[in-house]
Amino acid sequence: MIGVIGAVSGKISNNSKILKTGDKIYLGDTILSNENSAAQILLLDQSTFTIGSDSSVVMDTFIYDPKNNDGKIVAKVKKGSLKVISGLVSKKNPDNLSVEVPEGTLGSRGTEFQTIVNSKAKETRTLLIGPGKNNTLGLRPGAVLVSNKFGNTMLNKPYDFTKMKQGSAPDKAKKITKKQLKQFKKKMKALRVAKLEGSSKEEKKAIRKEIKQSLKDQGFEKEEIKVLIKEEVQKAKEERIAKREEAKSEKKAKKEAKQAKKKEAGEKKKAKKEKAVKNQKQKGKKK
């Protein structure tokens, strides 16, 4: 076992079954997501892998020693999108977390980044999200080395972006446009309302218990487990709050649209009545 499913939206499966929140992920698993589906995986070194819609990601290599945080992580993206927030393995040695794509390799340097593999166009787009050099948390500045046998490009500023096509070196790093950023966010849209959605208190408790035991079996200390569980619960809470706020905004917008429509209908009716009265008066004058 190398991790657990922290959240699911839509239909997610591995080599043999449909996956749900709390299910274990094993070395060699191929995680598949349908259209408008997504999943978040919490790996045992605290790395977070978020798999976007219509994607195929293979958990190729996972070596981790919790006593000294040594190890190596390699994931292969065959198609679709993967967002990575690096954990303890990358914190100890940034070179030890990498993502392989059809056109080359993405070498993480202790960071958060997202990649989209377009198998039809035979190209991979990669976005560095952060953190920046002067981040307030004192974290190592993020960077991603995008490379293949034809050349390489280093993304080392938040929201640096590059494109890598099959048979050629990666493009030079440039700041992502609003339109391009929208495409990256769209791939992860399905997960916004997925955090433990539809689970009862008992089911949530059972999921947390299973995650806690799994982490304990892998050698995590009690305090580390508490932090991990607390982080996942907090993320779930934030997602639920965001969902409620979004629902409120939609309800308000619908109400305002309905009122505007009603007002417009009333004004049309009034105008029609006034026109009828005016026509009646004109007829009376002619007589």
Side-chain angles (χ1 to χ4, degrees), residues 75-77 98-107 115 117 123-124 126 145-151 164-168 170:
K76 289 182 179 177
V77 183
S98 62
V99 175
E100 294 181 3
V101 295
E103 293 75 29
T105 302
L106 315 175
T115 191
V117 173
E123 69 172 33
T124 293
T126 303
L145 181 65
V146 181
S147 62
N148 59 22
K149 64 181 182 180
F150 302 100
M164 180 166 53
K165 288 201 170 188
Q166 201 170 71
S168 60

Side-chain angles (χ1 to χ4, degrees), residues 197-213:
E197 188 181 21
S199 300
S200 65
K201 286 184 179 180
E202 290 75 20
E203 286 171 328
K204 291 175 187 176
K205 192 175 180 181
I207 287 166
R208 292 190 191 108
K209 189 177 179 181
E210 189 175 355
I211 293 171
K212 189 183 286 185
Q213 186 59 49

Side-chain angles (χ1 to χ4, degrees), residues 150-162:
F150 302 100
N152 62 70
T153 293
M154 180 69 81
L155 305 178
N156 55 17
K157 294 177 183 176
Y159 293 95
D160 266 2
F161 163 85
T162 187

